[in-house]
């Protein structure tokens, strides 16, 4: 039970970063980006190329992949989403589905279907209070916590973070408060891309690198963001932990391969009983 | 256009302005001017294009025809954020604060983005802070949790963080209790005394005109009359002037 809870926390912690990316993008751009899974995959393979193929240590490889993915996301937005911006959320969502297929298959084309792993040294797992932990899990905890603290500071203490929240809150008021939304949108994509890249590397470390690695997490990540309240960064964090722990704990009562049903049920239950999520605000149509 | 009352110098001017949503124009060739240091109130029946006019001036709607000038400089091509930095502050009617942000964050955003890189230690200078004493005690409150009147004051304060040349207000007294309503008009007067020219759209015509210099009557997307506010206030049939159609439908 304790072990399962711990594993659930790790699964949840891995999802906090992509869930935060989903929630930031939704807040500012008002559409659910279903390409986040494939974006994580592509970024993980970028880090893999630098780490396993060029021999970089994983940390700088991840940092470089994060910067590259952030920049790539700005480019992707420019060619894919920007021309469709006035067409509404559904169009953008469908575009993101298509983009996801393309990105995932680029990764498949480049690296094939077989599972690969990062070049990191294996360390013996250790035990604390009967819970087995390994080094990768500790790295995951540390990196995700640090990223969440940085994001919190960015969103509350920096002018750009405040501007992102302002645009998410009320885009037309943001304009008359002098906020240039194209700039805010570019920063949002850059930050989301970096979060997705780090998330992708963490998934690759936890499991293995394979083309569907990111999209496997898609439903859980969306369940986390919806549970927390789309658009709420704190909600994404709490939602990811809850979905992670509940999914893992469910394996105590249902066969493990039904685990994926948990986030799906969660989405259904939340949308019926509390569509705004835990920390979201009811949507008011103006 | 020749004015019945020629104001000192025009700070903001619209000439032959057309704008609207979708296929049709809502404002159809509006000529209007705001004199330096003046308070001008636009009145008119519902759907006469008052809000459309003010949104077009703020840059939220494109002008389909006509000119907008601030101190003689053409503004048409400037985006809404650039017009703000050029010196036109705008307070929308509703949703005029960021509800999920705190009072302090609302003020910080205004300070950071409305001015062209001006930096100050405090978010509000003494004169503006003095106008809104109650905001100081609510810095950490989420703006969405403020009362309607307090939100209006916050929106006002945000627009004033960088001394604008022109302040445009869309129905500043809408939905407020009588106490706050007179408070709002009192603030408008004091802001004007600080040297800010004010253009406002108002349904509570009498209260607004009492502090205004000039009244513009808008109906059917066109300017029907421009007159000194005192003259309009003195008219017995003020209601018929702008409520003409609305009153007919009441009976």
């Amino acid at each position: 039970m304790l072990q399962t809870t711990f594993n659930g926390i790790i699964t949840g912690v891995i999802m906090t970063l992509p869930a935060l990316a989903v929630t930031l993008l939704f807040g500012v751009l008002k559409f659910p980006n279903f390409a986040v899974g494939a974006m994580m995959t592509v970024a993980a393979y970028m880090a893999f190329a630098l780490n396993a193929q060029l021999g970089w240590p994983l940390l700088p490889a991840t940092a470089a992949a994060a910067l590259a993915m952030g920049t790539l996301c700005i480019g992707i937005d420019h060619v894919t989403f920007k021309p469709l911006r006035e067409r509404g959320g559904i169009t953008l969502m469908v575009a993101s589905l298509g983009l996801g297929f393309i990105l995932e298959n680029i990764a498949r084309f480049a690296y094939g279907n077989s599972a690969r792993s990062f070049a990191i040294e294996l360390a013996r797992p250790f035990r604390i209070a009967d819970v087995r932990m390994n080094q990768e899990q500790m790295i995951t905890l540390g990196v995700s916590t640090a990223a969440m603290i940085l994001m919190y500071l960015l969103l509350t203490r920096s002018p750009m973070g405040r501007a992102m929240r302002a645009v998410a809150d009320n885009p037309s008021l943001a304009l008359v408060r002098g906020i240039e939304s194209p700039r805010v949108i570019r920063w949002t994509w850059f930050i989301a891309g970096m979060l997705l890249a780090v998330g992708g590397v963490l998934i690759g470390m936890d499991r293995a690198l394979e083309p569907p690695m990111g999209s496997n997490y898609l439903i859980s990540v969306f369940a986390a963001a919806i549970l927390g309240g789309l658009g709420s960064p704190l909600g994404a964090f709490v939602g990811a932990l809850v979905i992670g722990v509940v999914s893992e704990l469910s394996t105590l009562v249902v066969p493990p391969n039904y685990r994926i049903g948990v986030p799906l049920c969660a989405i259904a239950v939340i949308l019926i009983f509390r569509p705004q999520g835990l920390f979201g605000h009811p949507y008011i149509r103006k | 256009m020749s004015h019945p009352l020629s104001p000192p110098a025009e700070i903001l001017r619209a000439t032959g302005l057309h704008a609207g949503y979708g296929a049709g124009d809502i404002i159809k060739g509006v000529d209007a001017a705001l004199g330096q240091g003046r308070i001008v109130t636009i009145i008119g029946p519902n759907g006469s294009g008052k809000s459309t006019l003010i949104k077009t001036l703020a840059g939220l709607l494109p002008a389909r025809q006509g000119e907008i000038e601030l101190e003689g400089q053409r503004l048409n091509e400037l985006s809404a954020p650039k017009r703000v930095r050029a010196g036109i502050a705008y307070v929308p009617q509703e949703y005029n604060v960021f509800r999920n942000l705190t009072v302090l964050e609302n003020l910080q955003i205004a300070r950071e983005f409305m001015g062209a890189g001006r930096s100050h230690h405090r978010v509000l200078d003494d004169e503006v802070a003095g106008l809104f004493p109650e905001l100081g005690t609510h810095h950490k409150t989420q703006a969405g949790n403020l009362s309607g009147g307090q939100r209006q004051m916050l929106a006002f304060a945000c627009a004033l963080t960088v001394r604008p040349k022109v302040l445009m207000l869309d129905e500043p007294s809408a939905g407020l209790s009588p106490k706050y309503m007179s408070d709002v008009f009192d603030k408008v007067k004091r802001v004007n005394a600080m040297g800010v020219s004010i253009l406002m759209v108002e349904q509570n015509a009498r209260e607004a005109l009492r502090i205004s210099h000039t009244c513009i009557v808008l109906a059917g997307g066109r300017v029907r009359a421009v007159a000194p506010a005192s003259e309009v206030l003195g008219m017995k049939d003020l209601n018929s002037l702008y409520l003409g159609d609305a009153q007919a439908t009441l009976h």
Side-chain angles (χ1 to χ4, degrees):
Chain A
M1 175 84 180
L2 211 57
Q3 181 70 52
T4 316
T5 309
F6 176 75
N7 292 348
I9 290 174
I10 296 298
T11 311
V13 160
I14 289 179
M15 292 188 311
T16 53
L17 303 183
L20 188 57
V22 164
T23 227
L24 281 179
L25 288 171
F26 184 85
V28 170
L29 295 161
K30 301 284 182 273
F31 78 96
N33 177 10
F34 284 111
V36 287
M39 286 173 165
M40 287 198 283
T41 305
V42 167
Y45 276 107
M46 286 178 182
F48 172 80
L50 295 170
N51 167 250
Q53 296 180 305
L54 296 181
W56 292 26
L58 191 55
L59 190 66
T62 306
L67 289 175
M69 195 63 209
T71 314
L72 184 64
C73 277
I74 297 176
I76 285 173
D77 177 60
H78 197 77
V79 296
T80 312
F81 297 112
K82 198 178 164 201
L84 302 172
R85 202 102 74 206
E86 302 304 318
R87 303 259 190 104
I90 301 292
T91 309
L92 290 163
M93 182 193 81
V94 174
S96 79
L97 282 170
L99 175 69
F101 288 131
I102 294 171
L103 289 178
E104 186 172 317
N105 284 297
I106 288 175
R108 187 169 279 127
F109 190 69
Y111 287 99
N113 269 328
S114 50
R116 292 158 187 266
S117 54
F118 290 115
I120 38 175
E121 284 183 33
L122 290 174
R124 283 176 64 86
F126 49 92
R127 283 177 175 276
I128 297 176
D130 264 354
V131 178
R132 214 174 75 108
M133 307 175 184
N134 61 39
Q135 208 187 346
E136 288 83 55
Q137 290 175 320
M138 290 299 114
I139 294 173
T140 298
L141 262 180
V143 168
S144 301
T145 312
M148 292 305 296
I149 293 172
L150 274 177
M151 282 306 300
Y152 174 79
L153 292 176
L154 175 91
L155 287 171
T156 56
R157 303 291 153 85
S158 75
M160 185 42 71
R162 278 194 284 270
M164 284 165 66
R165 286 163 58 219
V167 171
D169 186 296
N170 188 338
S172 77
L173 181 63
L175 283 176
V176 296
R177 287 277 186 275
I179 298 172
E180 304 274 358
S181 56
R183 205 167 143 241
V184 173
I185 289 172
R186 279 197 298 276
W187 272 104
T188 307
W189 274 110
F190 185 72
I191 291 163
M194 298 220 294
L195 288 169
L196 291 171
V198 177
V201 171
L202 292 180
I203 292 174
M205 243 169 50
D206 188 55
R207 310 260 162 102
L209 288 130
E210 47 186 346
M213 62 184 276
S215 32
N216 284 342
Y217 274 84
L218 202 56
I219 292 172
S220 300
V221 164
F222 269 87
I226 293 170
L227 172 63
L230 272 173
S232 160
L234 172 68
F237 180 72
V238 177
L241 286 181
V242 172
I243 296 288
V245 172
V246 174
S247 302
E248 288 295 330
L249 285 180
S250 75
T251 59
L252 296 175
V253 283
V254 294
N257 40 351
Y258 285 113
R259 187 165 36 190
I260 189 68
V262 172
L264 272 178
C265 293
I267 292 179
V269 171
I270 304 155
L271 290 182
I272 292 168
F273 294 105
R274 197 176 159 83
Q276 74 271 35
L278 293 174
F279 298 91
H281 295 266
Y283 183 71
I284 304 163
R285 194 179 286 277
K286 290 174 204 169
Chain B
M1 185 181 84
S2 70
H3 251 247
L5 146 153
S6 46
E10 282 169 2
I11 186 156
L12 184 66
R13 157 164 276 287
T15 317
L17 204 60
H18 286 254
Y21 305 85
D25 285 351
I26 294 178
I27 54 170
K28 302 156 183 159
V30 165
D31 293 312
L34 171 64
Q36 175 84 51
R38 292 298 176 119
I39 302 179
V40 172
T41 295
I42 304 170
I43 63 173
N46 283 332
S48 59
K50 306 187 296 288
S51 289
T52 306
L53 170 60
I54 212 163
K55 276 185 189 150
T56 310
L57 294 173
L60 290 178
L61 267 182
R64 290 174 176 172
Q65 265 184 62
E67 301 267 335
I68 303 169
E69 287 166 316
L70 179 72
E71 295 178 313
Q73 300 287 313
R74 189 178 144 97
L75 285 186
N76 291 46
E77 284 74 28
L78 292 191
S79 66
K82 293 209 170 73
R83 289 188 204 189
V84 173
R85 283 192 283 277
I88 304 186
Y90 163 60
V91 179
Q93 180 182 353
E94 278 178 295
Y95 304 105
N96 51 18
V97 297
F98 298 112
R99 289 170 182 238
N100 296 322
L101 275 60
T102 64
V103 168
L104 183 63
E105 286 174 329
N106 268 278
L107 293 168
Q108 281 171 327
I109 282 184
R111 160 72 72 207
E112 286 155 359
F113 291 91
M114 289 176 68
R118 277 197 266 170
S119 66
H120 266 270
H121 298 300
R122 281 161 303 159
V123 282
L124 291 178
D125 61 48
D126 290 336
E127 206 173 354
V128 177
L131 271 180
F132 308 100
E134 58 183 309
L135 288 181
T137 58
H138 284 101
H139 269 183
K140 298 236 151 126
T141 312
Q142 268 208 345
N145 294 335
L146 296 175
S147 74
Q150 289 170 327
R151 276 206 300 273
Q152 191 67 40
M153 293 302 161
L154 174 59
F156 237 140
C158 286
L160 292 173
T161 46
V162 287
R163 291 296 177 79
K165 293 171 183 161
V166 173
L167 177 63
M168 299 196 298
L169 306 166
D170 194 352
E171 307 258 358
S173 77
L176 296 188
S177 64
K179 176 202 165 278
Y180 265 116
M181 201 194 287
S182 60
D183 209 17
V184 160
F185 290 123
D186 175 56
K187 302 262 144 96
V188 172
K189 212 173 157 182
R190 287 167 64 185
V191 169
N192 179 244
M194 285 159 51
V196 180
S197 312
I198 291 170
L199 181 68
M200 101 180 126
V201 161
E202 205 25 267
Q203 291 276 9
N204 294 305
R206 283 195 182 277
E207 289 77 3
L209 289 178
R210 237 167 245 139
I211 60 159
S212 306
H213 299 98
T214 308
C215 172
I216 296 177
V217 182
L218 207 62
R222 294 191 171 86
V223 173
R224 289 296 150 92
V226 180
S230 54
E231 221 169 83
V232 179
L233 263 180
M235 288 165 67
K236 280 220 169 82
D237 56 347
L238 170 60
N239 278 348
S240 70
L241 186 65
Y242 77 101
L243 273 181
D245 305 348
Q247 221 167 33
T249 57
L250 277 177
H251 296 290

